[in-house]
Amino acid sequence: GSPIQAAAEALTLIVAEHGIAAGDVARLDVLLPPNGARIVDDRSMPDINLQYCMAVILLDGGKLSFDATHTYDRMSDPAVLDMRSRVTLTGSPEFVGMERQRPATVRVTLTDGRLLEQGLQGIPIVEQLDGVEFLAAGIDDPRDGLGRIVDNGVAGRRHAR
């Protein structure tokens, strides 16, 4: 789900900058717009379950793959369940009315007591091709060598209008 995008990007940035892993994390707090938080809170589908996506990012070294977001069996993996139990999602009053921008704040409390925080004001749209918006979060040129738009399998990175 698109409400997850900024939070996933923020956590990816934290992992890249600080080199943390799942075992380093005591608690992970995510703040989203209230309506977006309701959409992605502990859902049964992996690609729209924020807690699952955040857990997988930490367990997979700071990456969220298409396969991971579409693997139902992994949702019951003990390591994923343990990490999911440390993720708290809150619909933040500071983000009321900002659902379209999809902002997020991610706060990671480490087992050594340090607090790491990353906020993003949203995932900007960088280009529109043939009526499809392509988002800045990790997508390269979506056209193949012939100028056709291709689905490169990056979950949640394409948003049709």
Side-chain angles (χ1 to χ4, degrees):
S2 68
I4 295 173
Q5 290 173 333
E9 183 69 12
L11 183 56
T12 300
L13 292 170
I14 290 171
V15 171
E17 181 177 342
H18 299 280
I20 64 169
D24 301 321
V25 177
R27 179 181 172 101
L28 193 152
D29 296 297
V30 178
L31 305 174
L32 293 180
N35 289 335
R38 279 190 287 280
I39 292 169
V40 298
D41 188 17
D42 205 24
R43 299 293 296 269
S44 61
M45 295 170 55
D47 61 329
I48 59 170
N49 182 317
L50 177 124
Q51 292 87 343
Y52 170 80
C53 289
M54 301 304 270
V56 168
I57 289 169
L58 288 166
L59 291 166
D60 292 355
K63 296 178 255 176
L64 184 60
S65 70
F66 180 85
D67 288 338
T69 61
H70 292 82
T71 304
Y72 284 81
D73 290 344
R74 192 163 181 208
M75 290 185 74
S76 59
D77 178 280
V80 171
L81 292 172
D82 175 58
M83 193 66 243
R84 279 176 62 181
S85 73
R86 298 183 239 167
V87 178
T88 302
L89 172 59
T90 303
S92 175
E94 82 178 83
F95 294 144
V96 168
M98 297 178 69
E99 276 78 9
R100 183 161 167 72
Q101 293 94 330
R102 296 186 299 274
T105 299
V106 174
R107 295 183 182 124
V108 180
T109 304
L110 302 178
T111 55
D112 66 7
R114 288 183 295 150
L115 177 66
L116 308 174
E117 182 173 315
Q118 178 71 52
L120 292 177
Q121 290 306 305
I123 301 295
I125 296 166
V126 294
E127 187 169 5
Q128 185 169 25
L129 299 169
D130 295 342
V132 178
E133 297 169 345
F134 289 88
L135 308 176
I139 193 167
D140 294 322
D141 189 342
R143 295 167 286 204
D144 65 10
L146 301 175
R148 298 175 300 199
I149 295 175
V150 295
D151 181 353
N152 66 357
V154 179
R157 301 295 163 91
R158 248 173 54 156
H159 178 74
R161 244 190 187 183

